[in-house]
Amino acid sequence: MDEVERIISRLNGIDPARPYFDPLAAEEALRQHGRLIGFRDMSFTWAMGPQQANSELAGIDFESPDASRWHMTMQALRDQAEVELQRDKAMWSAYLKAREEAETRLADALHLEAFRITLINLVSGEAGEVSNSVACLASTAMREAIAGNSVENESLQHLNDVYMPFVDALLAGLGSFWIVDERFVCLPLPRLALEEGQLVSDGRPAAVWPNGEAYANGDEGLIPVLQSAEW
């Protein structure tokens, strides 16, 4: 639990106005994740803003076997862990209770909501629907790390190990990603402008990506504005 607290403290130490960005460290974290799920020939493409991500992902059939492989692999790992836990009713009950308590605890302790909101619906079409928010995955990693302390199960431990690299990826500045076969298309975290913990909504850029793509926070979410040189 001391280790969990240390990781939560590190995640909360991310500066939304100037997140640390180390693409090589983010790629290494994803490689570690990939090796744990059987991926061997991973490659990386960095889209330095949502519009560039749209261009990189144009024309991909996200229902194809190549584009579904990662999601199906992760689902199989989750299913395997749950099936094994359900064989022992007491263990399954203890795990569910611990996971619920972990979610409640993290809702108060882990402050990543601004990044979650910023990365929603900026990439259009099907690609936007299947994007993988690293803030959400890091939160899942922490939830499972806490809940996993309540039971002993090898499949659950392996699943926790698979999720944990997303913490390092988020700390290295990875915001979201898409996978086609073993190619990762990566979008960094943006720089955020916050007031009292909320995205500014006065017309100023609320989120700016490394390539200068800037978005203001309007009534219907983030809207593109003139490119910014602030990054």
Side-chain angles (χ1 to χ4, degrees):
M1 296 306 293
D2 290 342
E3 178 68 9
V4 168
E5 296 296 341
R6 185 184 69 81
I7 295 172
I8 289 174
S9 178
R10 289 179 65 204
L11 289 171
N12 286 336
I14 297 174
D15 181 1
R18 193 174 291 272
Y20 177 69
F21 182 45
D22 185 340
L24 294 180
E27 289 175 14
E28 180 52 38
L30 291 178
R31 283 193 182 93
Q32 181 183 355
H33 163 76
R35 287 191 290 267
L36 289 170
I37 61 173
F39 284 28
R40 292 292 179 266
D41 299 315
M42 289 165 281
S43 63
F44 300 90
T45 300
W46 282 92
M48 291 301 179
Q51 293 177 26
Q52 188 177 345
N54 272 319
S55 297
E56 290 288 346
L57 299 166
I60 293 175
D61 177 5
F62 284 97
E63 294 184 358
S64 68
D66 282 349
S68 303
R69 180 184 172 194
W70 181 81
H71 289 283
M72 293 180 67
T73 300
M74 294 295 290
Q75 186 62 54
L77 291 175
R78 287 192 292 269
D79 290 346
Q80 179 180 347
E82 290 190 359
V83 165
E84 292 185 9
L85 289 168
Q86 288 172 9
R87 289 174 183 162
D88 184 323
K89 290 184 179 180
M91 181 181 293
W92 178 242
S93 178
Y95 168 70
L96 290 180
K97 180 180 179 182
R99 190 169 68 175
E100 182 179 354
E101 291 174 350
E103 288 176 347
T104 301
R105 178 182 173 202
L106 290 173
D108 295 329
L110 198 54
H111 309 299
L112 299 175
E113 191 62 26
F115 284 122
R116 293 191 192 102
I117 292 172
T118 305
L119 293 161
I120 293 175
N121 296 329
L122 285 183
V123 175
S124 61
E126 191 178 0
E129 296 174 4
V130 299
S131 66
N132 300 290
S133 166
V134 183
C136 293
L137 290 168
S139 297
T140 298
M142 298 313 301
R143 182 197 70 192
E144 296 301 329
I146 296 170
N149 287 328
S150 65
V151 297
E152 292 187 8
N153 177 274
E154 289 187 6
S155 292
L156 181 60
Q157 182 58 55
H158 177 63
L159 184 63
N160 293 350
D161 292 342
V162 164
Y163 271 109
M164 196 56 69
F166 294 123
V167 171
D168 290 330
L170 183 64
L171 289 166
L174 179 63
S176 56
F177 63 90
W178 298 258
I179 306 175
V180 180
D181 195 14
E182 296 190 6
R183 182 173 78 100
F184 288 69
V185 178
C186 302
L187 179 66
L189 290 173
R191 289 184 174 178
L192 304 182
L194 304 176
E195 287 183 352
E196 299 181 356
Q198 304 296 319
L199 292 171
V200 297
S201 55
D202 56 5
R204 288 180 293 157
V208 181
W209 267 267
N211 65 357
E213 288 183 38
Y215 294 77
N217 186 26
D219 293 337
E220 298 181 357
L222 295 178
I223 54 175
V225 293
L226 291 176
Q227 287 202 341
S228 171
E230 294 178 13
W231 222 95

